[in-house]
Amino acid sequence: MDKAQNNKHTLLPFSVIEAATTGNVDAINAVLKHYEPYIAALATRRLYDENGVPHLCVDDELRKTLEIKLITKILSFELVKAA
Amino acid sequence: MKLSPSQMKTVRHQFDSLCRKVLREESRNYIKQFARRAEKEVNLSELSETELSQLYVMDEYPSDSTFFDVLDYRVAVKDDRLADALAALPSKKRDVLLLSYFLDMSDTEIAEKLKVVGSTIHRRRTSSLKELKLRLGVKEDGQGTE
């Protein structure tokens, strides 16, 4: 998965997108995997402990919320908008 | 439905931008919601006494109070000391106190109900308050009238 290293500029293959929109579980997992770093970055929150020292930690609830939202949006994605 | 390679590329870009947009906006929503909630939330330990007292209700049981029958009314007295002192008073005097302080009646009303003259009510009240004060051993002024 060296693609994941630099996936800011990589795009998912068309075949995966096509399969994911029709509900293929493996394809959806591949999409989630592809956006995993981005989701982790978005879900990272700065928390402060009792001494006021900031800690970065991943908010699991937010991470799951994002994943679920992404899945629902993948399923409603239309390959050809004009349809 | 067959797409040309350039159309496929477009779709891939559209899909990518959609996914990023969805994730970005959803996380923004979540954080905004969090902030909105944080504005309203208060630490339980930081609540003031009055706010805390709004959070619970004490049950009131009939067995906690003493009842006195006056005319057609039934008056509940919660304070035990006061109830004892009231019970020790002669019933005519007690009626005047109960009617005026617990049922908020004016002297005229009480006089009408008890079928006596207004000055009698006044006299009974003054003397029974004095007696009550004595029984309760009240030191500060005015406490006995409660």
Side-chain angles (χ1 to χ4, degrees), chain A residues 45, chain B residues 29-41:
Chain A
R45 296 170 56 89
Chain B
N29 262 351
Y30 181 88
I31 287 169
K32 262 170 83 180
Q33 194 185 340
F34 215 81
R36 260 203 308 272
R37 216 167 59 190
E39 241 173 60
K40 301 255 165 81
E41 276 175 349

Side-chain angles (χ1 to χ4, degrees), chain B residues 5-135:
Chain B
S6 79
Q7 279 176 316
M8 285 188 186
K9 184 131 181 118
T10 309
V11 170
R12 287 169 72 194
H13 277 293
Q14 283 171 345
F15 184 77
D16 183 64
S17 100
L18 172 86
C19 290
R20 288 179 188 281
K21 195 169 82 186
V22 165
L23 292 173
R24 195 174 58 232
E25 293 307 312
E26 186 65 14
S27 80
R28 222 168 64 103
N29 262 351
Y30 181 88
I31 287 169
K32 262 170 83 180
Q33 194 185 340
F34 215 81
R36 260 203 308 272
R37 216 167 59 190
E39 241 173 60
K40 301 255 165 81
E41 276 175 349
V42 189
N43 238 338
L44 266 185
S45 55
E46 283 169 11
L47 281 180
S48 68
E49 192 100 334
T50 42
E51 281 171 318
L52 263 180
S53 65
Q54 288 168 2
L55 297 180
Y56 64 83
V57 196
M58 291 285 265
D59 286 350
E60 279 180 21
Y61 299 105
S63 58
D64 289 346
S65 24
T66 317
F67 290 94
F68 293 100
D69 288 320
V70 193
L71 299 176
D72 308 328
Y73 308 101
R74 173 157 275 213
V75 182
V77 180
K78 269 188 228 145
D79 190 286
D80 279 344
R81 279 179 61 219
L82 182 58
D84 287 346
L86 280 173
L89 285 177
S91 70
K92 277 184 181 174
K93 290 184 175 179
R94 184 172 66 224
D95 289 354
V96 174
L97 285 189
L98 290 173
L99 288 175
S100 70
Y101 293 108
F102 287 85
L103 296 175
D104 286 326
M105 285 188 189
S106 70
D107 280 8
T108 337
E109 281 175 295
I110 299 171
E112 243 169 63
K113 298 256 184 204
L114 294 179
K115 298 188 181 68
V116 291
V117 250
S119 60
T120 317
I121 301 298
H122 181 76
R123 202 182 56 241
R124 280 186 195 165
R125 196 226 308 274
T126 321
S127 72
S128 44
L129 282 183
K130 211 185 253 172
E131 203 170 321
L132 209 59
K133 221 172 196 173
L134 215 72
R135 284 185 198 278

Side-chain angles (χ1 to χ4, degrees), chain A residues 25-41:
Chain A
V25 177
D26 291 334
I28 290 175
N29 279 335
V31 176
L32 286 181
K33 179 92 191 145
H34 182 79
Y35 290 106
E36 194 189 314
Y38 187 48
I39 291 176

